[in-house]
Amino acid sequence: MGEERESSERESESERGGVAMETPQRNQIMTPISRFEDSPVFNFLNSLSPIKPVKSIHITQTFNSLSFASVPSVFTSPHVSSLKESRFIKRHQVSDLSKPEFSSENVAKVSTSEGIKYFAHSSAERLENFDPGSSVCKASDEPSYECSKLAMTLTYDSNSPDSDSTPCRGTRINCVSDLVDASTLLIPFVQDFSEKGIFGCEGHTEGISQIDQTSEAAGCHWECLISDAADLLVFESPNGTEDFKGPSQKSLDSGTRFCTSLINDLQTTQAVGAVGSDELHRAENLYIQLGEGGDEKEIAETQDMFVNTSLSNCVAGGSSENIDDEPVSNLYRGMRRRCLVFEMTGARRKHLEEGSSCGSTMLSLPDGNVSSNDKQLAHLKPTNDSSRCILPGIGLHLNALATTSKDYKVVKHEALASGIQLLSAPESSASFQEPLNSSVAVTSSEIDLGPVENGASELEEASQVSGYVVNEEFNQSSPKKKRRRFEHAGETESCKRCNCKKSKCLKLYCECFAAGLYCVEPCSCQDCFNKPVHEDTVLETRKQIESRNPLAFAPKVVRSIDAVPEIGDHSSKTPASARHKRGCNCKKSGCLKKYCECYQGGVGCSINCRCEGCKNTFGRKVGSALIETEAELEEEQTETSEKSVVESSSHKFVIQNDAKQNTDSVLPATPTQFSRQLAQQPFSSKFKLPRSSFLSIGSSSGLYGSQRSGKPSFCQPPTKFEKHFQTVREDEMPEILHGNCSPISGVKSASPNNKRVSPPHCDFGLSPGQRSSRKLILQSIPSFPSLTPKH
DNA sequence: GAGTTTGAAACT
DNA sequence: CAGTTTCAAACTC
């Protein structure tokens, strides 16, 4: 415990630095409040109010974007004083708000340290199999340890200095399965803490008590949540050496991933039948809130907070049904998750290693994979991974693009099938590679959520889609074979694979790397360093490249909503235009081959292009303007067997837009608008975007975000809907990149693809728009299932 | 499957 | 910033 504690203290210190604002208040508020709380009057007030006293100001400060209805400073408890507490506060709020029931008596008890202690004990007494011996702080990989950690997290916040023991850090629950009864597990820990003099259990106590009370009712929910929480809790760096890299390193992407993973977990659980629809709704809310969550800065600053919070939220969610009503709580949860997601890899790895079965055990991968270096990443739950893979993500990234129209067609159907397979046989030999970057994940999650709204059946679909298995055997088979295999399998290029010989897959030459993906089995690369094992190297290289070109990993193809009004009829049909950000430089291909990034991305050439003899069927560039008539387009389309009529229409749209917009642009249109348009007309026949753009782009999610499938069969090509989604996201991306936040500074996180994730973070005034856009996306999701043919 | 072409990425 | 080299995908045979 000693070491941990020290580290935790350091952390807390750093946190304080980050959140300096709060520090002063801490001391000031604490003393007075504590007194106040002790007073009978305070207790009385508490009893009267359904709202719990504790948390408040700090949180509010931290999350400006969040509007908590909470009852603030007046009820601020002493706990507020510590930063961690502030984190906890969120949780408290959540629990509090979500559960009025919890209130009065419990709250009163909690308000005082003794009360808390008492509460904890009482709860603990209920526990049956608790082993006090399980050390709370010991650094062991043992399941018990994990559990204890979880407990810590739950109990985490403490007024006492001891509380500083970092709940967040290194907190991970390897054995969700071990947590059969959340209350059982958690409560004991609480007790343990209390015994050790750590009394900051308000949140814990509440959460625990709630759990205990509702455990029966919650049942499966709890477990699911816990498992989810476990994921969240894992903060280990991929390397496992560092618990915390710091908020700065964690990107929104990761956050997104977090959210996604959470959602996925929920979905998965539900799919399995373990969880009810409530979970899904929560997830959905979470997602939405996440979108709203907005400020990256805040997120970064409070990552730690989130960690704790997420857990608490999860717990609360599991125990109470009120969560849905609490946007805030969900929001925190989502945010938290994001941060955590980034480090999921390590966590999952550990999970596997320990051989503990996760909450969604069904999804758990074979343990064997974990130990091997190459397979470190391969263990994610099928759901999460799959979804990522399937829904590649935000931002069109040519690098990510891979599929040809052909592939797309083929894959499209296969994807569903594969997803189903995954569900049915999650434990297939294939392992999962976890993407480092989250951007994709988010997307996928978002998409997945849509189904949730509609119902369990939809959920299943989503989960199926998400289901994604990757074979982690790297370089095992001959490259060519692998490649062929994928191709023939109809695997989409969304699952990238490279054939690098000299670049070590650490340069943009490598499609995988460029797409933010780790190389996987299908890759035939040599001397590949783009593997989870070399995550540090990968990240470092990424940073270097980004330092040279901040947009290096940004989507190459951006879609924007051009002036809709100008477009006229088309506007309704085709909300967005797309163009290659930098433009191509084709000399010989006439922009009619995939050598041309514009063509490959399914977008017309623009003024930005320096191509010669441009014949891009998606839109030619002539001089400064694109020239192409519908007739021409159709002709070209006809010529191009793979291109559909629909695409042509989109092309036209693009062209028109491009002509009008020369600049980068995505900007004029707010993401929200765009997303809405998509949502509204996602499926209109006319609205379809260039196929290629859809297809390939999806993979942008990348490394850190999306998974790649080792097995072709599992690779799922993005569905039409997905494509749309991706497109939308891409729109956002450019803004982000261009925005005040430099991709590097702001969004940078441990994950290579951090940038992509981002939107919320940037200072954009648009943050609201982004938020809304995400919401819209979710809404649009429901329709998604219908689009993709089921077999 | 080998070889060629192509253009982006990287380097100077 | 332009020119050159390197690289790996795309393409052809």
Side-chain angles (χ1 to χ4, degrees):
Chain A
M1 208 164 159
E3 290 183 359
E4 257 187 16
R5 192 173 207 166
E6 289 179 359
S7 64
S8 65
E9 289 179 357
R10 281 180 238 145
E11 248 187 9
S12 63
E13 293 229 349
S14 63
E15 288 176 357
R16 289 171 197 160
V19 187
M21 305 168 51
E22 294 180 358
T23 302
Q25 290 178 349
R26 230 178 166 190
N27 297 337
Q28 293 175 350
I29 293 169
M30 266 197 76
T31 304
I33 292 170
S34 63
R35 292 176 186 171
F36 179 79
E37 289 178 354
D38 290 346
S39 70
V41 174
F42 179 79
N43 290 339
F44 175 75
L45 292 176
N46 287 340
S47 65
L48 293 177
S49 173
I51 298 169
K52 277 188 177 182
V54 189
K55 21 291 176 120
S56 59
I57 297 170
H58 294 291
I59 293 171
T60 301
Q61 292 175 346
T62 301
F63 303 91
N64 294 336
S65 63
L66 299 179
S67 57
F68 290 92
S70 63
V71 184
S73 56
V74 173
F75 293 95
T76 302
S77 69
H79 296 286
V80 172
S81 62
S82 68
L83 295 179
K84 287 181 178 182
E85 288 175 357
S86 65
R87 297 174 185 174
F88 300 141
I89 291 168
K90 288 195 239 168
R91 187 181 59 144
H92 290 293
Q93 288 178 345
V94 172
S95 63
D96 291 348
L97 294 176
S98 64
K99 294 186 176 181
E101 65 226 282
F102 193 63
S103 63
S104 53
E105 290 181 359
N106 293 342
V107 171
K109 290 177 182 177
V110 173
S111 63
T112 62
S113 63
E114 288 181 355
I116 294 165
K117 186 175 182 179
Y118 167 78
F119 187 81
H121 282 291
S122 65
S123 297
E125 289 176 357
R126 296 175 188 173
L127 296 178
E128 289 177 356
N129 297 325
F130 173 69
D131 178 8
S134 63
S135 63
V136 173
C137 298
K138 82 171 76 154
S140 67
D141 288 344
E142 295 176 357
S144 64
Y145 172 68
E146 300 298 339
C147 294
S148 65
K149 288 218 159 191
L150 174 60
M152 289 177 66
T153 302
L154 293 177
T155 56
Y156 52 64
D157 138 347
S158 57
N159 293 335
S160 68
D162 291 4
S163 64
D164 288 345
S165 62
T166 348
C168 297
R169 184 185 284 199
T171 307
R172 62 184 171 181
I173 299 168
N174 290 340
C175 309
V176 174
S177 63
D178 290 347
L179 300 177
V180 173
D181 183 349
S183 64
T184 301
L185 293 176
L186 295 177
I187 292 168
F189 290 101
V190 171
Q191 183 177 1
D192 190 6
F193 279 155
S194 64
E195 290 177 356
K196 291 181 180 179
I198 296 168
F199 292 158
C201 299
E202 294 176 355
H204 308 306
T205 303
E206 292 176 356
I208 293 167
S209 66
Q210 290 176 350
I211 292 165
D212 188 11
Q213 292 174 351
T214 60
S215 63
E216 292 178 357
C220 297
H221 290 285
W222 229 116
E223 293 177 356
C224 294
L225 291 176
I226 292 168
S227 64
D228 194 9
D231 289 345
L232 294 176
L233 292 178
V234 176
F235 282 86
E236 288 182 356
S237 65
N239 293 343
T241 58
E242 296 176 354
D243 288 346
F244 237 86
K245 287 182 177 180
S248 63
Q249 290 180 345
K250 292 181 180 180
S251 66
L252 292 180
D253 289 347
S254 32
T256 300
R257 284 178 59 192
F258 172 93
C259 188
T260 301
S261 63
L262 174 59
I263 293 167
N264 289 340
D265 289 350
L266 292 175
Q267 290 178 346
T268 300
T269 301
Q270 186 163 2
V272 173
V275 176
S277 63
D278 290 347
E279 297 297 334
L280 293 177
H281 290 292
R282 290 176 188 169
E284 179 180 357
N285 289 340
L286 173 62
Y287 176 76
I288 293 168
Q289 290 173 356
L290 175 61
E292 292 178 356
D295 281 306
E296 291 180 354
K297 288 181 179 179
E298 290 178 356
I299 293 169
E301 291 177 355
T302 61
Q303 285 181 345
D304 230 2
M305 292 176 63
F306 288 112
V307 171
N308 290 338
T309 301
S310 66
L311 176 59
S312 64
N313 288 344
C314 291
V315 172
S319 62
S320 73
E321 294 176 355
N322 292 338
I323 291 170
D324 290 347
D325 294 344
E326 276 282 328
V328 172
S329 65
N330 288 341
L331 173 62
Y332 286 121
R333 189 171 158 195
M335 293 175 78
R336 206 355 161 36
R337 180 91 170 189
R338 293 177 183 176
C339 296
L340 293 177
V341 171
F342 176 72
E343 309 236 330
M344 293 279 293
T345 302
R348 298 207 174 191
R349 203 182 293 168
K350 287 185 178 179
H351 285 290
L352 292 177
E353 288 176 356
E354 290 179 359
S356 62
S357 60
C358 295
S360 334
T361 311
M362 39 194 138
L363 296 179
S364 66
L365 297 176
D367 295 347
N369 292 340
V370 174
S371 60
S372 68
N373 292 341
D374 290 349
K375 295 177 180 180
Q376 289 175 349
L377 291 181
H379 25 315
L380 295 184
K381 293 176 182 180
T383 8
N384 293 343
D385 294 349
S386 66
S387 64
R388 290 172 189 170
C389 216
I390 293 168
L391 303 177
I394 299 169
L396 297 177
H397 203 300
L398 287 180
N399 292 337
L401 294 179
T403 20
T404 61
S405 59
K406 265 196 253 181
D407 290 347
Y408 173 71
K409 292 175 182 178
V410 173
V411 174
K412 194 167 168 190
H413 297 288
E414 288 180 354
L416 294 176
S418 64
I420 293 167
Q421 290 176 352
L422 290 176
L423 289 176
S424 63
E427 293 185 352
S428 62
S429 61
S431 59
F432 297 87
Q433 177 176 358
E434 181 179 0
L436 297 179
N437 202 342
S438 53
S439 63
V440 172
V442 171
T443 300
S444 64
S445 65
E446 290 176 354
I447 293 167
D448 290 346
L449 290 179
V452 171
E453 290 178 355
N454 290 343
S457 63
E458 290 178 357
L459 267 182
E460 289 178 356
E461 290 178 354
S463 64
Q464 290 175 353
V465 171
S466 65
Y468 195 117
V469 175
V470 175
N471 190 339
E472 292 262 31
E473 298 172 357
F474 292 92
N475 297 334
Q476 290 179 352
S477 61
S478 69
K480 290 181 180 180
K481 286 182 180 180
K482 292 177 183 176
R483 196 163 194 171
R484 296 270 169 184
R485 201 162 97 201
F486 277 93
E487 290 176 356
H488 292 297
E491 179 179 358
T492 323
E493 302 211 0
S494 61
C495 302
K496 288 248 158 222
R497 54 185 178 278
C498 66
N499 191 30
C500 305
K501 300 283 190 301
K502 298 179 180 179
S503 67
K504 296 181 180 178
C505 297
L506 290 178
K507 294 190 175 182
L508 293 175
Y509 296 127
C510 175
E511 289 187 357
C512 298
F513 179 80
L517 298 171
Y518 285 124
C519 291
V520 233
E521 175 194 1
C523 294
S524 54
C525 46
Q526 299 175 1
D527 297 332
C528 179
F529 277 77
N530 186 27
K531 294 180 180 179
V533 176
H534 301 101
E535 183 177 7
D536 291 344
T537 302
V538 172
L539 294 176
E540 182 117 357
T541 303
R542 232 183 125 89
K543 287 180 182 178
Q544 291 177 355
I545 294 172
E546 286 178 343
S547 66
R548 279 197 307 251
N549 176 16
L551 298 178
F553 294 94
K556 292 181 178 179
V557 174
V558 296
R559 288 187 184 287
S560 63
I561 301 169
D562 289 342
V564 172
E566 291 178 358
I567 292 166
D569 293 347
H570 292 288
S571 65
S572 63
K573 295 175 182 178
T574 57
S577 66
R579 73 169 64 82
H580 191 279
K581 211 158 191 178
R582 277 175 307 135
C584 65
N585 192 31
C586 304
K587 298 287 190 282
K588 298 178 180 179
S589 67
C591 299
L592 288 174
K593 296 189 177 182
K594 291 181 77 175
Y595 296 125
C596 174
E597 290 192 351
C598 295
Y599 180 88
Q600 188 175 34
V603 299
C605 290
S606 65
I607 298 169
N608 293 331
C609 297
R610 299 163 297 284
C611 51
E612 297 176 359
C614 179
K615 295 178 182 178
N616 189 340
T617 57
F618 293 94
R620 292 187 284 197
K621 160 202 124 178
V622 175
S624 63
L626 294 177
I627 297 170
E628 191 157 348
T629 63
E630 290 180 355
E632 289 178 350
L633 289 175
E634 289 180 355
E635 289 178 356
E636 289 177 353
Q637 289 174 353
T638 302
E639 291 176 356
T640 303
S641 62
E642 291 180 354
K643 294 176 182 176
S644 66
V645 172
V646 173
E647 290 177 352
S648 68
S649 66
S650 66
H651 295 179
K652 294 174 184 177
F653 179 86
V654 171
I655 293 166
Q656 291 175 349
N657 290 339
D658 289 346
K660 292 175 183 178
Q661 297 174 346
N662 290 336
T663 49
D664 257 33
S665 61
V666 177
L667 320 178
T670 62
T672 303
Q673 290 175 342
F674 184 77
S675 64
R676 286 180 182 175
Q677 290 176 350
L678 291 176
Q680 291 174 349
Q681 303 173 353
F683 301 109
S684 77
S685 61
K686 292 179 180 179
F687 174 65
K688 295 176 182 177
L689 294 176
R691 179 178 302 161
S692 62
S693 63
F694 287 116
L695 295 176
S696 50
I697 297 158
S699 62
S700 63
S701 53
L703 250 161
Y704 324 92
S706 66
Q707 274 184 336
R708 305 179 59 180
S709 66
K711 291 184 177 180
S713 64
F714 290 98
C715 275
Q716 298 173 350
T719 63
K720 292 178 182 178
F721 174 81
E722 291 174 352
K723 290 178 179 179
H724 288 291
F725 179 84
Q726 292 172 351
T727 300
V728 171
R729 297 303 298 178
E730 289 178 355
D731 286 348
E732 290 177 356
M733 288 304 296
E735 288 180 356
I736 293 167
L737 294 175
H738 290 292
N740 294 341
C741 333
S742 69
I744 296 168
S745 64
V747 180
K748 257 185 178 188
S749 65
S751 74
N753 287 336
N754 298 349
K755 295 176 180 179
R756 296 173 186 173
V757 176
S758 75
H761 342 2
C762 291
D763 293 343
F764 300 118
L766 295 179
S767 61
Q770 290 175 344
R771 294 174 188 172
S772 63
S773 68
R774 288 185 179 181
K775 289 180 179 178
L776 292 174
I777 291 167
L778 288 175
Q779 291 175 351
S780 66
I781 293 168
S783 61
F784 171 63
S786 63
L787 291 179
T788 58
K790 295 176 182 178
H791 290 289

